[in-house]
Amino acid sequence: MTVVRPVEEDEADLLVRWHADPEVSRYWDGETFTREEMLARLRREHVESFLVEEQGRPIGYLQVWREGAAGGVDMFLVPGARGRGLGPDAARAVARHLRDVRGWPRVTVDPYLWNQGAVRAWSRAGFRAVAEGEPDADHTARWLLMEFEG
């Protein structure tokens, strides 16, 4: 259903526009970015950035991060692509790749508890809840730690 491919730097403006959409930014703590800020994000050392495509058309963003033995995935789809199983399809493919090809022992996600749509989507992708977390340096609200089992 989806293809996940690395983001090209010339696609930074697309990501800036997507993050400026309130229906995207509200799930990313209201963060928006300039082109320069987005380019800096795309160049982070421990984060890989990808576009999610449906039939050759970009429909979402996915990033993979790794710190030591821990690693995780963050993702959003543009509003018009939601509710059709595309997010779980992309998430499942990436999580399997990280586990089976790259050998990650653990792949996690951490959606906010208030974002029930994301919790359901991650569950459909093969993630299960393992713990709840309080707001901290990386989260502005209570969140759910989920681990890939698919």
Side-chain angles (χ1 to χ4, degrees), residues 6 9 15 31 47-49 57 73 75 82 84 89-90 95-96 100 104 115 117 122 127 133 138 142 149-150:
E9 285 196 358
L15 296 175
E31 287 186 301
V47 178
E48 295 176 73
S49 299
R57 191 186 52 161
V73 177
M75 181 176 62
R82 297 176 188 160
R84 296 185 283 138
D89 181 72
R96 284 182 178 156
D100 300 343
W104 287 24
N115 188 352
W122 291 117
F127 289 81
D138 295 319
R142 291 181 50 77
E149 289 189 334

Side-chain angles (χ1 to χ4, degrees), residues 55-66:
Q55 299 177 350
R57 191 186 52 161
I59 59 163
Y61 172 77
L62 185 145
Q63 65 184 23
V64 173
W65 57 269
R66 180 94 188 246

Side-chain angles (χ1 to χ4, degrees), residues 11-39:
E11 295 168 314
D13 290 330
L14 172 66
L15 296 175
V16 168
R17 283 193 309 275
W18 282 353
H19 276 278
D21 182 338
E23 282 303 311
V24 170
S25 66
R26 73 186 194 112
Y27 297 106
W28 287 62
D29 297 327
E31 287 186 301
T32 60
F33 305 97
T34 65
R35 176 176 171 56
E36 293 72 29
E37 290 168 334
M38 184 57 68
L39 287 170

